[in-house]
Amino acid sequence: MTGGAWWRNAVFYEIYVRSFADSDGDGLGDLPGIRSRLPYLRDLGVDALWLTPFYPTPDADHGYDVADYVDVDPRFGTLADFDALVADAHALRLRLIVDVVPNHTSSEHAWFRNALADPSHPDRARYVFRPGRGDGPPNNWPSNFGGPAWTRDPRSGEWYLHLFAPEQPDLDWHNPQVRDDFEAILRFWLDRGADGFRIDVGHALYKDPELRDEEEPFPQTPFASDWRAAIDRPEVHDVYQDWRRLVDGYDGDRALVGEVVFSDPRRVAAYTRRDELHMAFNFALLFEPWEAERLRGTIERSLAASEEVGAPQTWVFENHDVPRLPTRYGGGEEGLRRARAAALLLLALPGPAFLYQGQELGLEEVELPPELRQDPVFHRTGGARPGRDGCRVPIPWTREAPAFGFTTGEPWLPQPAHWGNLSAEAQADDDAATLRLYRDALRLRPQLAGPLDWRDSPQGTLVFARGDVLCAVNVGGDPLALPRGDVLLTSEPLPQETLVAGTAAWIRA
Ligand code: GLC
């Protein structure tokens, strides 16, 4: 796909700020740390960076509980550091989008503190406070992080809504003040040079104003929002039409990407109609096993849904909320081999691709002992759900301990002892390394153009063309003879000219 706005075919790289690079030895990543690693990201060949929240936060959900939307947490740097980061990124032709968290604030945000301190304070109307039903909460809604979605305010006896942790009170988007607040927040970061936003929990801003009970029992699905009748309301599309106008009013093709979490791609695509979000994450591949027919079905359904609204489809195999790909695909050597083949699949699909830091190093999920786990998901479910710490371990830059170049201090989560071998330094000059595979694929990716065109292939395999380049993936089939043509890239060395299960190739026909 050539032409059109930059984001239509961009490769984004997600930086989980607290785990990327630490410049001051406090064990937490920060903005100057990111700035020092920009050359690595440019050499990797990505087009844009997405920074997870770096705003002042008490860290109940590691930054997704924002106490001030227009500042930088001192642990992560300063506004001047942000400006310098944007300037350097732009000088290297890297775009930079920031995370906006409009569904909820931190309970430490001044608005919420005012709301609790004085029930007649106007800030109280920014949140959803309601009287209970008898001694219990106003309805049966559960929190996505376990337990009820309501917490009682002891002073007034009313309950407040939180779809996530109690430290993340939900905003009331029916209040026009909240809409105004967020337009000002968007402008603040756009004026500072941000190239757009990743919108947290983009589908849930408006809730059923009548607060009707959800039907029980609540299904246990990976797409928690699928069954919640209380969210995905029509009013939210209005907000995104406004945001689209606002963002398009700036120069430089700034872009909005929504976190919209439904298993039906048509429900997600509805958020990317022409006058709404530029993109929405497509999480379907996060929950598909390594099976050819399943992968193909998901890709086809995803593309059909986005074509219907004229938006590009996006592709995601990893992010900061799910276990690492090599682990999901079985772990060990086989898991890594499959994850490498998946890299060629990902980067051959038409439309924006999102990488998560460390994916290019082939990092696996880290098993952490319970006493080190920090994710509220783990603690609020009494350990029934392991939580997301295992994919958030600080990434290794250099071969040597301590902390493999991430920090001169103690990293906030411990890194496995063997990660020196997976470090960016160790992989930099190794032809067989996963880092090398990603770099090569990103360099060659512009040669893949045009729509995806499936080719017949044996069971257990996927073959499609993008222009004159074929992507062949043997997911779990019999050895597959390499299609004829010039081999541009293979996920493993192929001595026999065949693709065995768990390998992939790009071939110019
Ligand atoms: C999104 C974020 C996740 C966070 C949640 C609540 O799903 O990706 O990390 O916990 O929103 O803000």
Side-chain angles (χ1 to χ4, degrees):
M1 212 173 300
T2 48
W6 65 274
W7 45 268
R8 288 195 157 260
N9 211 27
V11 177
F12 289 78
Y13 184 97
E14 177 188 358
I15 294 184
Y16 192 68
V17 173
R18 55 194 291 129
S19 299
F20 188 69
D22 176 23
S23 72
D24 60 4
D26 67 356
L28 285 182
D30 49 39
L31 301 183
I34 297 169
R35 198 171 155 217
S36 72
R37 296 292 181 184
L38 288 176
Y40 167 84
L41 296 166
R42 181 214 37 214
D43 293 348
L44 178 60
V46 297
D47 303 295
L49 312 176
W50 148 32
L51 267 49
T52 58
F54 47 78
Y55 318 110
T57 173
D59 259 353
D61 187 19
H62 290 345
Y64 284 97
D65 47 325
V66 179
D68 181 352
Y69 288 88
V70 291
D71 204 353
V72 176
D73 190 296
R75 295 169 305 157
F76 302 135
T78 62
L79 282 170
D81 290 328
F82 178 80
D83 296 341
L85 176 61
V86 170
D88 282 10
H90 286 171
L92 296 175
R93 294 175 169 279
L94 290 164
R95 311 256 181 171
L96 188 147
I97 69 169
V98 301
D99 218 308
V100 62
V101 186
N103 180 69
H104 45 266
T105 69
S106 161
S107 51
E108 293 298 310
H109 196 291
W111 297 332
F112 195 70
R113 287 207 301 215
N114 292 337
L116 280 189
D118 171 9
S120 66
H121 195 288
D123 283 348
R124 184 121 165 155
R126 285 191 160 94
Y127 297 92
V128 186
F129 280 88
R130 294 289 184 277
R133 256 191 324 213
D135 285 342
N139 66 23
N140 71 347
W141 296 357
S143 150
N144 291 333
F145 284 175
W150 298 92
T151 291
R152 192 166 197 171
D153 160 21
R155 181 179 298 213
S156 68
E158 288 193 325
W159 300 71
Y160 70 86
L161 178 68
H162 53 85
L163 288 189
F164 294 89
E167 297 85 357
Q168 295 167 294
D170 280 45
L171 288 161
D172 185 355
W173 275 82
H174 291 103
N175 178 349
Q177 178 67 52
V178 171
R179 277 174 83 147
D180 293 348
D181 293 335
F182 274 86
E183 296 205 356
I185 291 163
L186 297 184
R187 287 189 188 285
F188 179 87
W189 294 104
L190 292 169
D191 289 338
R192 294 196 100 90
D195 294 292
F197 300 93
R198 176 263 186 193
I199 304 161
D200 191 61
V201 197
H203 53 285
L205 308 191
Y206 285 86
K207 286 85 182 173
D208 173 14
E210 293 173 46
L211 302 182
R212 281 167 289 203
D213 277 340
E214 295 283 12
E215 205 175 303
E216 297 194 55
F218 308 131
Q220 296 300 316
T221 57
F223 291 91
S225 318
D226 273 357
W227 52 266
R228 273 189 191 263
I231 56 164
D232 190 23
R233 297 183 54 83
E235 302 92 305
V236 74
H237 296 281
D238 239 51
V239 171
Y240 295 141
Q241 287 170 2
D242 283 355
W243 287 18
R244 176 70 180 246
R245 273 192 295 272
L246 187 158
V247 166
D248 284 353
Y250 280 77
D251 59 357
D253 273 335
R254 324 261 181 131
L256 297 166
V257 50
E259 186 197 34
V260 178
V261 191
F262 302 112
S263 56
D264 180 349
R266 288 166 305 183
R267 265 181 102 176
V268 180
Y271 285 73
T272 59
R273 289 176 291 212
R274 272 182 206 292
D275 55 350
E276 297 192 37
L277 304 181
H278 303 80
M279 296 163 274
F281 291 126
N282 170 12
F283 290 142
L285 293 172
L286 293 178
F287 301 107
E288 286 302 339
W290 183 244
E291 281 172 30
E293 288 67 29
R294 294 281 294 267
L295 292 168
R296 176 165 173 164
T298 294
I299 293 167
E300 284 175 341
R301 277 190 301 281
S302 304
L303 286 172
S306 54
E307 270 156 29
E308 228 167 274
V309 295
Q313 186 54 276
T314 68
W315 308 101
V316 185
F317 273 107
E318 283 198 21
N319 65 26
H320 66 285
D321 290 328
V322 293
R324 293 275 190 187
L325 191 58
T327 307
R328 297 209 312 271
Y329 284 168
E333 275 178 28
E334 180 165 72
L336 180 59
R337 193 171 66 232
R338 292 170 170 175
R340 289 166 54 102
L344 294 198
L345 172 61
L346 166 69
L347 295 171
L349 292 169
F354 288 82
L355 306 180
Y356 174 52
Q357 65 180 41
Q359 182 175 345
E360 80 280 16
L361 303 175
L363 299 185
E364 72 271 27
E365 185 77 357
V366 180
E367 268 302 322
L368 292 157
E371 65 277 12
L372 290 180
R373 293 200 172 259
Q374 302 200 15
D375 187 357
V377 169
F378 175 78
H379 294 287
R380 289 185 56 79
T381 61
R385 282 160 61 193
R388 303 160 293 179
D389 298 301
C391 68
R392 298 174 174 181
V393 173
I395 63 172
W397 291 99
T398 57
R399 279 200 185 83
E400 299 301 320
F404 309 118
F406 166 71
T407 177
T408 54
E410 215 25 63
W412 71 279
L413 286 174
Q415 302 154 301
H418 68 278
W419 269 19
N421 298 329
L422 294 176
S423 65
E425 179 186 54
Q427 297 199 34
D429 301 314
D430 176 358
D431 282 354
T434 302
L435 176 58
R436 183 61 185 270
L437 177 70
Y438 269 91
R439 277 191 188 154
D440 288 345
L442 287 163
R443 183 172 41 79
L444 293 165
R445 177 175 151 94
Q447 300 189 27
L448 282 68
L452 178 152
D453 182 14
W454 290 104
R455 298 296 159 85
D456 288 339
S457 74
Q459 225 198 340
T461 68
L462 303 172
V463 180
F464 60 84
R466 299 275 322 279
D468 60 0
V469 178
L470 286 175
C471 174
V473 189
N474 188 342
V475 180
D478 294 333
L480 177 72
L482 265 190
R484 257 187 227 282
D486 293 338
V487 178
L488 298 178
L489 188 59
T490 61
S491 65
E492 303 291 334
L494 300 180
Q496 313 298 323
E497 298 280 298
T498 55
L499 285 172
V500 296
T503 60
W506 288 358
I507 297 133
R508 182 183 297 289

